[in-house]
Amino acid sequence: MSKNISAVKKLSRNLWWSWDTDAKSLFKNLSPLLWERVNHNPVELLRHISADELEALCSCELGVTIDQVSKRFEEYMADKNTWAAEHAPQLVSSPVAYFSAEFGIHESLRIYSGGLGILSGDHIKSASDLGLNFIGISLFYKEGYFRQYLNHDGWQIEDYPLQYPESLPIEKVTTEDGKDLIIEVTIAQSTVFAQAWSLKVGRATLYLLDTNIPANEMHYRDICSRVYGGDQNMRINQEILLGIGGIKLLKALKLEPAVYHMNEGHSAFLTLELLAGELASGRSFEEAKAKVKEQCVFTTHTPVPAGHDRFSRDMMAYTFSKYLTLSGMEFEEVMRLGAENPADTSGLFTMTVLALQLSRCANGVSKLHGEVSRDMWKHLYGTDDSKEVPIGHITNGIHTKSWSSGFTERFWRQHAGNIEELFASRESAEAVLSKVSDSELWCLRYHLKRHLMDYISRYLSNQLYHQHQYTTPFKPCDSSRSAKSALSPDVLTIGFARRFATYKRAPMIFQDLDRLNAIVNNPNMPVQIVFAGKAHPHDDAGKEYIRQIVEHSRRPQFLGKVVFLENYNIGVAKRLVSGVDVWLNNPVRPMEASGTSGQKTVLHGGLNLSIMDGWWCEAYNGTNGWSIGHGEEYDNYDEQYRIDANKLYEVLEHQIIPTFYERNEHNLPVRWLKNVRNAIATIAPVYSTDRMVKEYTMRYYLKEPRA
Ligand SMILES: *Cc1c(COP(=O)(O)O)cnc(C)c1O
């Protein structure tokens, strides 16, 4: 194998490439068509290209690119001069173990569902960039999260294409004598076996546990078939595997983490396995609890009581009876760890309660969510004063390099040298922006919108083509067929894409169809809207929202002006956030714990229009986007819906649309671009996972937290 070929193969096996523009272009240039067809998966791409072809391709100018990219990759991997080496050397010698039920690293690795996974993926990437010794723990979901199709009626159809290990950059973890490393966990009366896979994410490693192996009884093989699939029983089994299996894996690997980070309550059973270890070394239950608590930190993401994972007492008894006997724990003692009221263990076992009780610190994911969480859990701390509740907040961010498109990154590189410098601080962003003229900024926006419009046109062709496969009897729909080419880069473009959880209220902008008609079809100031998003397979109300939007998009007045793109995922998200002018977010406050998608838009010069919820409460300053209302909350859902919708229309009609279409003598929207500059300077440097992981490190990961 030539040096070039082995270099390309090596690059394909570390997800570092997923946030390096040149590495991505390199793979794409091997075969642009195949690159699309394999969903941007370099391992799969290389399986389709013969050694002869690869050798021939690599000997031309691609060879030079390979050299350059490989050199940068090797330098990155070897760099000892990192932020962590300087600020947290303890965490270079001992790892942080970060547990999450999902990781959204790239669209080609379908082990995520939504925002929680994207956050974990961005967290591990920044941890790598900053030089932390960082280990992620999750599950290998062979079927992943579903692929969404829409049938002719706009109803969501779920499909679960399999992902095969040989097509992914994952390796089997082996023991010292070369055998597969198999982890055992006790579930109910059975022993369940899990194969461990490892995955390189820059300098960090992600381990994935997989029960789909012949050693298991049939019904345990598909514990991790699907992300959040199945019933409560499946759920508890997944969580045992993640938490208890994860700790066993770390032990088998002889790793001794400095800290265990539970990203959401799904992994909180890890504390039981840590307790079991402490009890085995002769400690009392109280001593063991104190010891475990010292080592764990917890991030909660759910601002409503009903959203937290809970298991019935019966299910706990059934699932844990053997495990608890083996590890010398009393059932009642364990139930108390997860009881909302410690004096009463007859009720449900709450994962968040377990996590809160057994971690040395805990946080919500925005300032507002911190407040909401303190209030929601104050009864656990025996106080009426939520200020006394020891839950802080660290606001979520995004991994900047992952979310800036190649085009955007090249643009900023021309002006700033590199994107890290641009977004290092507000001051540096302002300094760079002062070198960019309005016409250059507007040119960037036009390019990105043109890319998006072309993308949508191709995407919809494809979508309409197979929509007929899900339609019986066959009903041709020429009207929606003509929709695909109608979007225009001249038109103010609004994007709304996220999970279709009902609290996000996706159809809000359709509340008053006549008013929306007047907005969209104003001949001088038209508007177009792009939607995307998946509803959880069990969430019929969410699916109904999708159906309604698809139906609206087919009304004559909205045809070609409102579109719904199916199968929202990281790849679709990257396109949407870079091309739209306005990113719309209208959840029921305060249910959006943070949200991150609007942060992605800003890197590309897009602006946010959002309810005052989650991260936007902190970021909005009056000149860097728009707010819907001022953070009002109502007890009546319908009333709140109507009032918020009305405010949404008002901001659009009186502020956003006129500002966008107001042009100076050079046809530039000067006031609009001023907002864009303010957004980039005030948001991009702050709402990044680099800032976020630094905060986690200084305040949560280090034993003696520093300010
Ligand atoms: C960023 C992102 C999310 C999270 O978006 P929210 O604004 O938090 O709802 C969800 N899914 C995908 C694919 C994303 O890229």
Side-chain angles (χ1 to χ4, degrees), residues 112 114-115 118 403 498 504 568-570 573 592 595-598 600:
Y112 67 95
I118 310 292
W403 291 103
R498 43 181 58 82
K504 297 187 187 240
Y568 186 52
N569 61 31
I570 293 177
E592 194 63 80
T596 55
S597 53
K600 303 167 190 166

Side-chain angles (χ1 to χ4, degrees), residues 172-236:
K172 271 187 181 175
V173 180
T174 53
T175 58
E176 275 155 12
D177 50 3
K179 297 212 186 71
D180 291 356
L181 179 64
I182 304 288
I183 299 303
E184 297 178 14
V185 291
T186 304
I187 297 182
Q189 297 304 311
S190 302
T191 301
V192 174
F193 304 93
Q195 158 76 51
W197 301 92
S198 75
L199 174 72
K200 293 267 166 247
V201 186
R203 289 183 276 240
T205 305
L206 173 58
Y207 290 101
L208 303 173
L209 291 171
D210 178 7
T211 53
N212 189 9
I213 55 174
N216 279 325
E217 295 167 46
M218 270 322 230
H219 60 283
Y220 286 126
R221 283 191 204 167
D222 44 69
I223 289 180
C224 44
S225 289
R226 297 179 177 180
V227 186
Y228 307 133
D231 53 11
Q232 279 293 93
N233 200 33
M234 179 74 94
R235 185 85 166 209
I236 199 170

Side-chain angles (χ1 to χ4, degrees), residues 446 449-450 452-453 456 483-496 509-510 516 519-522 525-531 557-563 579-582 584 652 657 660-661:
Y446 251 107
K449 273 171 89 172
R450 168 55 68 190
L452 177 63
M453 300 308 143
I456 291 177
K484 69 183 166 57
S485 53
L487 296 183
S488 159
D490 292 322
V491 175
L492 173 63
T493 307
I494 299 175
F496 182 104
I509 204 167
F510 299 100
L516 183 63
I519 290 173
V520 165
N521 291 305
N522 180 333
M525 302 194 279
V527 171
Q528 57 198 6
I529 316 173
V530 186
F531 284 92
Q557 68 270 37
F558 299 134
L559 206 59
K561 291 158 189 167
V562 175
V563 298
V580 301
D581 297 302
V582 173
L584 173 63
L652 280 173
I657 298 170
F660 182 84
Y661 284 105

Side-chain angles (χ1 to χ4, degrees), residues 546-562:
I546 295 175
R547 194 201 61 74
Q548 285 171 15
I549 292 173
V550 173
E551 185 181 320
H552 291 313
S553 75
R554 292 183 183 153
R555 290 175 193 276
Q557 68 270 37
F558 299 134
L559 206 59
K561 291 158 189 167
V562 175

